Amino acid sequence: MGTSTFMKLEIESLSENESFARVVVAAFAARLDPTLEEISDIKTAVSEAVTNAIIHAYEDRVGLISVRAYIDGNVLTVEVEDWGVGIEDVEKARQPLYTSKPELERSGMGFTIMENFMDKLTVRSAPGQGTLVTMVKEIRSKSRVKEY
Amino acid sequence: MKIEMEQHRAVLLVRLTGELDHHHAEQMREQVDREIARHPSRAVLFNLRGLTFMDSSGVGALLGRYRKIDAAGGRVAVCEVPDAISRITEISGLARIIPFFNREADALRYLLLGVPSKRRL
Ligand SMILES: Nc1ncnc2c1ncn2[C@@H]1O[C@H](COP(=O)(O)OP(=O)(O)OP(=O)(O)O)[C@@H](O)[C@H]1O
Ligand SMILES: [Mg+2]
Protein backbone atom coordinates (compact mmCIF):
# COMPACT_ATOMS: atom_id res chain seq x y z
CA MET A 1 0.00 0.00 0.00
CA GLY A 2 1.39 3.40 -0.95
CA THR A 3 0.60 6.95 0.02
CA SER A 4 0.01 9.64 -2.52
CA THR A 5 2.91 12.08 -2.71
CA PHE A 6 1.91 14.30 -5.64
CA MET A 7 -1.04 16.40 -6.80
CA LYS A 8 -1.65 18.77 -9.68
CA LEU A 9 -4.48 21.22 -10.21
CA GLU A 10 -5.01 23.37 -13.28
CA ILE A 11 -7.30 26.37 -12.99
CA GLU A 12 -8.30 29.42 -15.00
CA SER A 13 -7.06 32.74 -13.65
CA LEU A 14 -10.41 33.75 -12.10
CA SER A 15 -10.66 35.15 -8.59
CA GLU A 16 -13.30 32.62 -7.55
CA ASN A 17 -10.61 29.93 -7.94
CA GLU A 18 -8.43 31.41 -5.19
CA SER A 19 -10.28 29.71 -2.35
CA PHE A 20 -10.59 26.50 -4.37
CA ALA A 21 -6.81 26.30 -4.91
CA ARG A 22 -5.86 26.95 -1.28
CA VAL A 23 -8.44 24.50 0.05
CA VAL A 24 -7.22 21.73 -2.29
CA VAL A 25 -3.58 22.17 -1.30
CA ALA A 26 -4.50 22.32 2.40
CA ALA A 27 -6.52 19.10 2.05
CA PHE A 28 -3.55 17.42 0.33
CA ALA A 29 -1.21 18.59 3.13
CA ALA A 30 -3.63 17.28 5.78
CA ARG A 31 -2.07 13.78 5.55
CA LEU A 32 1.03 15.23 7.23
CA ASP A 33 -1.17 15.99 10.24
CA PRO A 34 -0.37 19.71 10.34
CA THR A 35 -1.46 21.99 13.17
CA LEU A 36 -4.25 24.51 12.56
CA GLU A 37 -1.62 27.21 12.38
CA GLU A 38 0.37 25.30 9.74
CA ILE A 39 -2.79 24.78 7.66
CA SER A 40 -3.52 28.49 7.89
CA ASP A 41 0.06 29.33 6.82
CA ILE A 42 -0.15 27.03 3.78
CA LYS A 43 -3.54 28.42 2.72
CA THR A 44 -2.31 31.99 2.98
CA ALA A 45 0.89 31.34 1.00
CA VAL A 46 -0.99 29.51 -1.78
CA SER A 47 -3.55 32.30 -1.92
CA GLU A 48 -0.77 34.90 -2.35
CA ALA A 49 0.87 33.03 -5.22
CA VAL A 50 -2.39 32.26 -7.04
CA THR A 51 -3.69 35.82 -6.58
CA ASN A 52 -0.44 37.18 -8.04
CA ALA A 53 -0.87 34.98 -11.11
CA ILE A 54 -4.44 36.26 -11.55
CA ILE A 55 -3.72 39.96 -10.97
CA HIS A 56 -0.21 40.42 -12.31
CA ALA A 57 0.58 37.57 -14.71
CA TYR A 58 -2.64 37.65 -16.74
CA GLU A 59 -3.98 41.10 -15.85
CA ASP A 60 -7.15 41.49 -17.94
CA ARG A 61 -7.10 38.16 -19.73
CA VAL A 62 -7.85 34.66 -18.54
CA GLY A 63 -4.95 32.21 -18.59
CA LEU A 64 -4.03 28.89 -17.01
CA ILE A 65 -2.48 28.48 -13.58
CA SER A 66 -0.89 25.21 -12.54
CA VAL A 67 -0.78 24.37 -8.82
CA ARG A 68 1.33 21.35 -7.86
CA ALA A 69 2.20 19.92 -4.47
CA TYR A 70 4.63 17.22 -3.38
CA ILE A 71 5.15 15.44 -0.08
CA ASP A 72 8.54 14.02 0.80
CA GLY A 73 8.72 12.73 4.37
CA ASN A 74 7.26 15.55 6.42
CA VAL A 75 8.18 18.23 3.89
CA LEU A 76 5.55 19.87 1.69
CA THR A 77 6.57 21.56 -1.56
CA VAL A 78 4.07 23.72 -3.44
CA GLU A 79 4.59 25.08 -6.94
CA VAL A 80 2.40 27.74 -8.55
CA GLU A 81 3.14 28.36 -12.21
CA ASP A 82 1.73 30.76 -14.79
CA TRP A 83 2.56 31.60 -18.40
CA GLY A 84 1.81 35.30 -18.12
CA VAL A 85 3.82 38.53 -18.36
CA GLY A 86 6.68 37.43 -16.09
CA ILE A 87 8.82 39.56 -13.77
CA GLU A 88 11.64 41.76 -15.02
CA ASP A 89 13.51 42.13 -11.72
CA VAL A 90 12.67 39.34 -9.26
CA GLU A 91 14.90 40.70 -6.50
CA LYS A 92 13.11 44.05 -6.58
CA ALA A 93 9.66 42.39 -6.78
CA ARG A 94 10.41 40.36 -3.65
CA GLN A 95 11.19 43.39 -1.51
CA PRO A 96 8.59 44.23 1.15
CA LEU A 97 6.20 47.01 0.07
CA TYR A 98 7.21 46.84 -3.60
CA THR A 99 4.16 46.74 -5.85
CA SER A 100 3.68 47.56 -9.52
CA LYS A 101 -0.03 48.14 -8.88
CA PRO A 102 -0.51 50.61 -5.99
CA GLU A 103 -3.64 51.95 -7.74
CA LEU A 104 -5.33 48.58 -7.12
CA GLU A 105 -4.75 48.94 -3.37
CA ARG A 106 -1.99 46.34 -3.42
CA SER A 107 0.53 46.80 -0.64
CA GLY A 108 3.45 44.78 -1.97
CA MET A 109 3.42 42.25 0.86
CA GLY A 110 2.60 39.02 -1.02
CA PHE A 111 6.14 37.67 -1.41
CA THR A 112 7.03 38.74 2.14
CA ILE A 113 4.03 36.80 3.46
CA MET A 114 4.98 33.69 1.43
CA GLU A 115 8.53 33.94 2.83
CA ASN A 116 7.29 34.28 6.40
CA PHE A 117 4.61 31.61 6.29
CA MET A 118 6.71 28.96 4.52
CA ASP A 119 10.31 27.87 5.20
CA LYS A 120 11.68 28.60 1.76
CA LEU A 121 10.58 30.59 -1.30
CA THR A 122 12.09 30.44 -4.79
CA VAL A 123 10.88 32.60 -7.70
CA ARG A 124 11.89 31.84 -11.28
CA SER A 125 10.58 34.21 -13.91
CA ALA A 126 11.23 35.48 -17.41
CA PRO A 127 9.51 38.51 -18.98
CA GLY A 128 6.94 37.41 -21.54
CA GLN A 129 7.23 33.75 -20.52
CA GLY A 130 5.82 33.37 -17.05
CA THR A 131 6.63 32.73 -13.43
CA LEU A 132 7.25 29.67 -11.26
CA VAL A 133 6.92 30.14 -7.50
CA THR A 134 8.20 27.27 -5.34
CA MET A 135 7.48 27.13 -1.61
CA VAL A 136 8.75 24.56 0.87
CA LYS A 137 7.48 23.92 4.40
CA GLU A 138 8.43 21.32 6.93
CA ILE A 139 5.37 20.12 8.87
CA ARG A 140 6.13 19.65 12.54
CA SER A 141 2.81 17.84 13.03
CA LYS A 142 0.99 17.45 16.34
CA SER A 143 1.31 13.66 16.61
CA ARG A 144 4.96 13.51 15.59
CA VAL A 145 5.88 16.11 18.16
CA LYS A 146 4.35 13.89 20.86
CA GLU A 147 6.30 10.77 19.75
CA TYR A 148 9.70 12.13 20.74
CA MET B 1 -18.32 36.57 2.68
CA LYS B 2 -20.92 38.37 4.75
CA ILE B 3 -20.75 42.13 5.25
CA GLU B 4 -23.04 43.60 7.89
CA MET B 5 -23.13 47.33 8.49
CA GLU B 6 -24.88 49.14 11.30
CA GLN B 7 -24.78 52.64 12.68
CA HIS B 8 -23.71 52.93 16.30
CA ARG B 9 -24.11 56.62 17.21
CA ALA B 10 -21.42 58.38 15.11
CA VAL B 11 -19.68 55.11 14.20
CA LEU B 12 -20.29 52.91 11.17
CA LEU B 13 -19.77 49.39 12.44
CA VAL B 14 -18.73 46.89 9.74
CA ARG B 15 -18.87 43.20 10.71
CA LEU B 16 -17.02 40.89 8.35
CA THR B 17 -17.69 37.15 8.24
CA GLY B 18 -15.96 34.57 6.04
CA GLU B 19 -12.84 34.86 3.90
CA LEU B 20 -11.37 38.25 2.98
CA ASP B 21 -9.30 37.41 -0.11
CA HIS B 22 -8.96 39.14 -3.50
CA HIS B 23 -12.30 37.74 -4.68
CA HIS B 24 -14.23 39.08 -1.68
CA ALA B 25 -12.18 42.22 -1.03
CA GLU B 26 -13.76 43.78 -4.11
CA GLN B 27 -17.24 43.34 -2.67
CA MET B 28 -16.22 44.72 0.72
CA ARG B 29 -14.58 47.76 -0.89
CA GLU B 30 -17.68 48.59 -2.94
CA GLN B 31 -20.21 48.20 -0.16
CA VAL B 32 -18.24 50.05 2.49
CA ASP B 33 -17.25 52.87 0.11
CA ARG B 34 -20.87 53.36 -0.93
CA GLU B 35 -21.85 53.72 2.72
CA ILE B 36 -18.93 56.04 3.50
CA ALA B 37 -19.76 58.26 0.53
CA ARG B 38 -22.95 59.28 2.31
CA HIS B 39 -21.11 60.44 5.45
CA PRO B 40 -17.54 61.30 4.39
CA SER B 41 -15.95 62.02 7.77
CA ARG B 42 -17.59 59.53 10.05
CA ALA B 43 -15.73 56.97 12.13
CA VAL B 44 -15.59 53.36 10.95
CA LEU B 45 -15.01 50.24 13.04
CA PHE B 46 -14.18 46.91 11.40
CA ASN B 47 -15.10 43.96 13.63
CA LEU B 48 -13.17 40.96 12.26
CA ARG B 49 -14.46 38.32 14.69
CA GLY B 50 -16.15 36.29 11.93
CA LEU B 51 -13.16 36.16 9.58
CA THR B 52 -11.72 32.68 9.00
CA PHE B 53 -9.15 33.75 6.40
CA MET B 54 -7.39 36.88 5.22
CA ASP B 55 -4.48 37.45 2.83
CA SER B 56 -2.67 40.51 1.46
CA SER B 57 -5.73 41.43 -0.63
CA GLY B 58 -7.73 41.79 2.57
CA VAL B 59 -4.93 43.81 4.14
CA GLY B 60 -4.90 46.08 1.06
CA ALA B 61 -8.67 46.56 1.18
CA LEU B 62 -8.65 47.48 4.89
CA LEU B 63 -5.68 49.83 4.42
CA GLY B 64 -7.39 51.39 1.41
CA ARG B 65 -10.51 52.14 3.47
CA TYR B 66 -8.31 53.52 6.26
CA ARG B 67 -6.44 55.89 3.88
CA LYS B 68 -9.64 57.13 2.34
CA ILE B 69 -11.44 57.78 5.62
CA ASP B 70 -8.34 59.23 7.26
CA ALA B 71 -7.85 61.65 4.35
CA ALA B 72 -11.47 62.80 4.75
CA GLY B 73 -10.88 63.53 8.44
CA GLY B 74 -12.55 60.38 9.78
CA ARG B 75 -11.21 57.68 12.10
CA VAL B 76 -10.84 53.95 11.68
CA ALA B 77 -10.27 51.12 14.14
CA VAL B 78 -10.22 47.32 14.03
CA CYS B 79 -11.41 44.99 16.77
CA GLU B 80 -11.74 41.31 17.72
CA VAL B 81 -9.05 39.92 15.41
CA PRO B 82 -9.33 36.11 15.48
CA ASP B 83 -6.24 33.93 16.05
CA ALA B 84 -6.45 32.58 12.50
CA ILE B 85 -5.58 35.98 11.02
CA SER B 86 -3.57 37.64 13.78
CA ARG B 87 -0.24 36.67 12.21
CA ILE B 88 -1.03 38.29 8.88
CA THR B 89 -2.11 41.51 10.55
CA GLU B 90 1.28 41.58 12.33
CA ILE B 91 3.54 40.62 9.41
CA SER B 92 1.79 42.91 6.94
CA GLY B 93 2.17 45.88 9.29
CA LEU B 94 -1.60 46.49 9.39
CA ALA B 95 -1.65 46.37 13.19
CA ARG B 96 0.93 49.16 13.35
CA ILE B 97 -1.08 51.49 11.10
CA ILE B 98 -4.69 51.05 12.21
CA PRO B 99 -5.52 51.08 15.96
CA PHE B 100 -6.44 47.54 17.11
CA PHE B 101 -8.66 46.68 20.07
CA ASN B 102 -9.54 43.33 21.62
CA ARG B 103 -13.00 44.46 22.68
CA GLU B 104 -15.57 46.18 20.53
CA ALA B 105 -16.63 48.43 23.42
CA ASP B 106 -13.08 49.78 23.78
CA ALA B 107 -12.81 50.47 20.07
CA LEU B 108 -16.16 52.29 20.10
CA ARG B 109 -15.07 54.38 23.06
CA TYR B 110 -11.86 55.34 21.24
CA LEU B 111 -13.77 56.28 18.08
CA LEU B 112 -16.56 58.17 19.83
CA LEU B 113 -14.23 60.21 21.99
CA GLY B 114 -11.98 60.83 19.01
CA VAL B 115 -14.64 61.97 16.56
CA PRO B 116 -13.72 65.53 15.47
CA SER B 117 -15.37 67.97 17.84
CA LYS B 118 -16.87 69.99 14.98
CA ARG B 119 -19.50 67.26 14.73
CA ARG B 120 -20.93 68.47 18.03
CA LEU B 121 -20.99 72.18 17.13
N1 LIG C 1 2.99 35.82 -11.14
C1 LIG C 1 3.44 37.06 -11.39
N2 LIG C 1 3.55 37.51 -12.66
C2 LIG C 1 4.00 38.78 -12.92
N3 LIG C 1 4.38 39.66 -11.97
C3 LIG C 1 4.30 39.25 -10.68
C4 LIG C 1 3.83 37.95 -10.32
N4 LIG C 1 3.89 37.84 -8.97
C5 LIG C 1 4.35 39.01 -8.52
N5 LIG C 1 4.63 39.87 -9.54
C6 LIG C 1 5.21 41.22 -9.40
O1 LIG C 1 5.85 41.33 -8.14
C7 LIG C 1 5.29 42.41 -7.39
C8 LIG C 1 5.30 42.08 -5.91
O2 LIG C 1 4.40 41.02 -5.63
P1 LIG C 1 3.73 40.93 -4.17
O3 LIG C 1 2.79 39.81 -4.15
O4 LIG C 1 4.82 40.94 -3.15
O5 LIG C 1 2.97 42.33 -4.06
P2 LIG C 1 1.60 42.80 -4.76
O6 LIG C 1 0.90 41.62 -5.35
O7 LIG C 1 1.89 43.92 -5.66
O8 LIG C 1 0.76 43.33 -3.51
P3 LIG C 1 0.01 42.42 -2.41
O9 LIG C 1 0.47 41.01 -2.59
O10 LIG C 1 0.42 42.98 -1.08
O11 LIG C 1 -1.44 42.58 -2.66
C9 LIG C 1 3.94 42.67 -7.99
O12 LIG C 1 3.50 44.00 -7.78
C10 LIG C 1 4.18 42.35 -9.47
O13 LIG C 1 4.77 43.45 -10.12
MG1 LIG D 1 0.59 39.84 -4.31
Side-chain angles (χ1 to χ4, degrees):
Chain A
M1 217 173 61
T3 336
S4 163
T5 56
F6 170 68
M7 62 139 280
K8 177 177 168 179
L9 174 72
E10 262 189 334
I11 48 172
E12 294 163 286
S13 59
L14 300 168
S15 67
E16 67 203 50
N17 283 327
E18 289 155 2
S19 63
F20 179 51
R22 63 182 180 253
V23 165
V24 169
V25 175
F28 178 71
R31 63 201 61 188
L32 289 175
D33 196 18
T35 61
L36 283 178
E37 197 184 328
E38 286 169 331
I39 293 172
S40 167
D41 291 353
I42 294 163
K43 277 191 184 172
T44 311
V46 170
S47 196
E48 294 299 341
V50 170
T51 302
N52 277 353
I54 293 170
I55 295 173
H56 302 296
Y58 295 117
E59 297 187 285
D60 296 328
R61 65 199 169 96
V62 177
L64 272 188
I65 302 171
S66 173
V67 180
R68 302 180 292 269
Y70 310 80
I71 288 174
D72 182 9
N74 63 335
V75 176
L76 173 76
T77 301
V78 183
E79 294 178 342
V80 176
E81 184 168 22
D82 67 67
W83 294 270
V85 298
I87 304 172
E88 194 106 27
D89 185 342
V90 170
E91 209 185 315
K92 185 168 107 187
R94 288 181 62 155
Q95 274 164 19
L97 303 178
Y98 172 80
T99 180
S100 55
K101 291 199 159 49
E103 74 282 1
L104 290 186
E105 293 189 346
R106 314 303 320 174
S107 38
M109 290 305 289
F111 281 134
T112 305
I113 289 162
M114 291 181 239
E115 248 165 33
N116 271 278
F117 283 35
M118 305 294 269
D119 297 335
K120 196 172 156 222
L121 169 72
T122 324
V123 183
R124 243 180 47 201
S125 190
Q129 287 178 36
T131 301
L132 171 64
V133 172
T134 307
M135 301 178 280
V136 180
K137 188 177 184 70
E138 185 187 335
I139 304 301
R140 292 170 189 87
S141 97
K142 300 165 279 187
S143 52
R144 254 193 308 280
V145 171
K146 275 189 228 128
E147 276 168 31
Y148 298 110
Chain B
M1 161 119 259
K2 198 163 86 190
I3 304 162
E4 291 165 295
M5 291 187 274
E6 67 188 70
Q7 194 66 37
H8 185 92
R9 291 161 70 185
V11 179
L12 172 67
L13 183 49
V14 183
R15 293 183 200 279
L16 302 178
T17 306
E19 306 197 309
L20 193 56
D21 61 2
H22 165 235
H23 187 62
H24 295 107
E26 212 71 52
Q27 189 187 336
M28 189 277 267
R29 187 175 292 146
E30 265 173 39
Q31 291 191 24
V32 174
D33 280 5
R34 201 179 315 132
E35 193 62 33
I36 291 167
R38 297 190 204 155
H39 306 271
S41 67
R42 68 165 76 191
V44 180
L45 174 57
F46 289 95
N47 186 322
L48 306 188
R49 181 172 44 196
L51 282 191
T52 51
F53 178 86
M54 183 165 89
D55 61 14
S56 71
S57 301
V59 170
L62 287 173
L63 269 181
R65 306 291 63 65
Y66 167 79
R67 296 216 172 94
K68 210 166 162 161
I69 297 158
D70 185 59
R75 285 189 155 211
V76 177
V78 165
C79 69
E80 299 200 45
V81 177
D83 286 346
I85 64 165
S86 67
R87 230 178 125 209
I88 191 137
T89 61
E90 295 297 330
I91 288 167
S92 65
L94 188 71
R96 287 191 297 278
I97 300 172
I98 305 180
F100 271 48
F101 296 87
N102 288 331
R103 294 173 32 193
E104 188 176 282
D106 293 335
L108 282 172
R109 199 166 304 127
Y110 159 80
L111 291 172
L112 287 167
L113 295 176
V115 170
S117 54
K118 61 174 186 242
R119 280 191 161 276
R120 265 182 262 134
L121 293 179

